[in-house]
Amino acid sequence: MLNNLVLVLNCGSSSLKFSILDPKNSKKYLFGLVDRLYLSNSYIIWFENKIKKKILIGDYISHIKSLKFIIKIIINNKNNLISKIKYIGHRVVHGGEKFIKPIIINDIVIKEIKKNSIFAPLHNPINLLGIDAAIKYFPKLRKNNVAVFDTSFYHNIPEFAYLYAIPYKFYKKYRIRRYGAHGISHYYISKRTSKILNIKLNNLNVITCHLGGGSSISAIRNGICVDTSMGLTPLEGLVMGTRSGDIDPSIIFFMHNILGKDINEIQKILINQSGILGLTNGITSDFRDIEKTYYSNIESYRAVNVFCYRLSKYISAYTSTLNGKLDAIIFTGGIGENSALVRELTLSKLKLIGVEINNILNYQKHSQDYFFINKNNTIPILVISTDEELVIAKETKKLFL
C-alpha cells in the first residue's frame, strides 16, 4: 500500500535526478535523470515500475525546463502516485557551518542557502531552482520540503584538516575553511561498504571516490570523514568537467596582472571553462565523449591522463590519514561506476601501497549494484552505485516522525 511517499529532487551541476520512493522499504516507484544538461542531445531517462523510458528533449536544455518537464509531464500524470507524495527532499550542496543536519525549508533557510551560494556558485543556485519548483508546483506541501546538505557529512573533519594556512582571522571572522561536497554520496557509500565487507561502520577505514561532472574523494576513518578534496567551494581538488580543481593560486595573479583579465572573467574560466573542457581545448566536458577517443585523439588522451594522475595522487595521500589500515577503495558516480579505463589508469599507479586491479573483472559488464575489481588477497576495490536519493528520502521523512 502506497503511503507517505517522498519526492526527491537532486539538482546537480550537470545532471538532474528525481525519484518518488518509500523510505520505509526503500522501494522506488519512479526515478530517473536528465542527462547532458546544457549540451547537445539532452535527454531524460526514467523508470516506472522497472519499465525503462527515454526521451530526447532537445539541445542545451536548462534545469528550469527540465524541472518543468519532470513535474508537469512525468510526475503529474501519475495519479496513483501524486496523491501519495507527502514530503519533498532536496539535495543542497553547501550549508556552511550553520547547517550540519537536514532542516525543514522555510524563508529563513532559503535565505541562508542563497547566502551560501558564494561558496557553491555552480550548485546552491541550482539547488534553489529545485526548491522553487517544488513550492510552485506542490503548494500544499510548502511546509514539507526538507534540505539535506552535502557539507553535513564533513562537520567532524579535524581542525588541522579543514583550516587553510592563511591568517587565522579569515576563519574566525569569515569562516573560510574546507567544507567539502558530495557528502550525501560519500555517506551512502561508506554505509553500503560496511554492509558488503561485514565491517562495523565505526571500524571502517575506506577511501571513497565520487567521480562525475563534479568529482571528489574522501578519507573515512572509523566511519567518520577525516579529509576530503573539495574545499571552501567545490572548485578545489580533482579535475572535473568544467572546473580546474587544484591550481597554484599565483595563476590567478598571473591572469590578472599579466594577461589583464578581471576577477569575474578568471572565475568564469576556472569554474566553467577548465577541467576536462579546458584540457580538450573546449571540445567537450563530458567524459564519455573523450573516453571513446582516448587512444586516437591527443586532446582526449591528455585530459584522461591528467584526470587519472590527479586522482591517484589523492588516493595515495589519503592512505596516510587512516592509521595504517585501509579496508577498501571505492569508486562511484557516473565516471567512477562506468569508466573501466579511469579505474585501470588510476589504480595501476598505486601498486606501491598494495593495490592490484583485476582488469578482467574491471572490464566485465556487471548487472548488480556493486562488484569487486581487485586481485585475490589484495586490498578490496569496489565499484558501488550510489543512491543519494535514498539518503535524502530517509533524512526527509525522519524530520516528520
Side-chain angles (χ1 to χ4, degrees):
M1 180 178 177
L2 303 181
N3 190 29
N4 293 339
L5 300 184
V6 179
L7 167 63
V8 175
L9 296 176
N10 181 350
C11 299
S13 58
S14 60
S15 67
L16 196 167
K17 298 177 183 178
F18 59 97
S19 184
I20 299 175
L21 68 160
D22 185 344
K24 188 174 182 179
N25 58 20
S26 303
K27 182 175 179 179
K28 294 185 178 181
Y29 294 92
L30 173 72
F31 65 96
L33 65 86
V34 185
D35 206 353
R36 297 183 64 84
L37 285 164
Y38 305 101
L39 296 171
S40 60
N41 300 316
S42 304
Y43 64 87
I44 300 180
I45 183 170
W46 74 98
F47 293 81
E48 297 177 34
N49 295 318
K50 299 183 179 179
I51 299 174
K52 181 179 179 180
K53 300 186 178 185
K54 180 178 178 179
I55 184 171
L56 291 171
I57 54 175
D59 294 329
Y60 311 104
I61 295 298
S62 68
H63 285 84
I64 293 176
K65 289 183 178 180
S66 299
L67 284 162
K68 184 177 180 180
F69 187 95
I70 290 166
I71 295 172
K72 297 195 74 174
I73 305 300
I74 299 177
I75 295 176
N76 277 349
N77 286 332
K78 307 297 177 293
N79 293 326
N80 62 322
L81 291 179
I82 196 76
S83 62
K84 305 299 181 182
I85 297 173
K86 302 300 180 185
Y87 315 104
I88 305 177
H90 302 268
R91 175 199 177 201
V92 178
V93 167
H94 217 296
E97 286 194 327
K98 186 168 185 177
F99 297 127
I100 62 172
K101 58 184 179 180
I103 191 169
I104 296 172
I105 296 171
N106 56 31
D107 291 341
I108 295 174
V109 171
I110 290 174
K111 185 177 179 180
E112 285 296 320
I113 293 172
K114 288 180 179 177
K115 183 179 177 181
N116 285 326
S117 292
I118 192 172
F119 299 136
L122 268 187
H123 297 86
N124 274 30
I126 291 171
N127 304 150
L128 284 165
L129 293 178
I131 294 171
D132 290 343
I135 293 171
K136 177 180 179 180
Y137 295 114
F138 300 96
K140 293 181 180 179
L141 300 178
R142 174 65 178 86
K143 296 181 179 180
N144 288 9
N145 282 260
V146 170
V148 182
F149 299 93
D150 270 317
T151 46
S152 297
F153 184 57
Y154 306 110
H155 77 274
N156 285 319
I157 285 179
E159 183 184 59
F160 60 76
Y162 71 65
L163 284 179
Y164 292 105
I166 59 177
Y168 187 66
K169 63 183 179 182
F170 287 103
Y171 168 66
K172 291 297 291 183
K173 187 172 182 179
Y174 303 107
R175 293 307 189 223
I176 295 177
R177 53 160 287 181
R178 178 178 307 283
Y179 287 99
H182 293 144
I184 298 169
S185 177
H186 289 285
Y187 168 73
Y188 173 83
I189 292 301
S190 62
K191 289 193 70 176
R192 187 82 175 93
T193 302
S194 172
K195 292 181 179 179
I196 293 169
L197 298 182
N198 195 26
I199 299 174
K200 289 183 178 180
L201 187 61
N202 60 7
N203 289 324
L204 185 71
N205 285 12
V206 294
I207 295 173
T208 52
C209 308
H210 179 108
L211 311 177
S215 295
S216 63
I217 180 171
S218 290
I220 298 168
R221 185 176 68 224
N222 298 329
I224 296 173
C225 186
V226 292
D227 206 349
T228 191
S229 57
M230 287 180 169
L232 174 71
T233 77
L235 179 59
E236 187 182 357
L238 302 174
V239 175
M240 297 171 241
T242 64
R243 282 167 271 168
S244 65
D246 295 339
I247 63 167
D248 178 350
S250 292
I251 293 173
I252 297 171
F253 312 147
F254 183 89
M255 286 181 173
H256 179 70
N257 296 328
I258 307 301
L259 304 183
K261 298 185 181 299
D262 66 37
I263 198 67
N264 291 325
E265 186 179 3
I266 295 170
Q267 183 181 41
K268 185 177 180 180
I269 290 170
L270 296 180
I271 294 176
N272 302 109
Q273 300 173 2
S274 296
I276 297 300
L277 184 64
L279 290 168
T280 59
N281 281 326
I283 294 174
T284 185
S285 63
D286 194 306
F287 211 94
R288 291 165 294 192
D289 297 334
I290 64 169
E291 187 176 28
K292 294 175 184 176
T293 57
Y294 173 70
Y295 292 104
S296 61
N297 181 282
I298 186 62
E299 281 84 8
S300 299
Y301 185 80
R302 176 196 306 128
V304 172
N305 285 344
V306 173
F307 182 94
C308 295
Y309 176 69
R310 181 79 58 85
L311 177 58
S312 69
K313 285 207 303 181
Y314 262 98
I315 292 173
S316 59
Y318 278 3
T319 60
S320 69
T321 70
L322 302 179
N323 290 343
K325 183 173 81 80
L326 174 59
D327 294 314
I329 298 171
I330 303 101
F331 290 84
T332 194
I335 297 172
E337 294 171 34
N338 297 299
S339 179
L341 177 64
V342 163
R343 298 191 299 257
E344 177 188 8
L345 294 176
T346 300
L347 296 169
S348 65
K349 298 173 174 59
L350 300 173
K351 292 181 180 179
L352 185 63
I353 62 172
V355 173
E356 294 281 351
I357 186 172
N358 180 329
N359 264 320
I360 295 176
L361 296 176
N362 184 39
Y363 279 91
Q364 279 180 355
K365 296 294 182 182
H366 299 268
S367 58
Q368 62 270 45
D369 68 346
Y370 77 90
F371 53 93
F372 291 88
I373 60 170
N374 56 285
K375 290 183 178 179
N376 289 336
N377 301 315
T378 62
I379 294 171
I381 307 166
L382 275 160
V383 180
I384 303 177
S385 297
T386 193
D387 198 339
E388 295 168 306
E389 291 72 43
L390 179 59
V391 174
I392 294 168
K394 287 180 178 292
E395 294 295 323
T396 296
K397 180 68 178 296
K398 196 184 296 183
L399 287 183
F400 297 95
L401 295 177

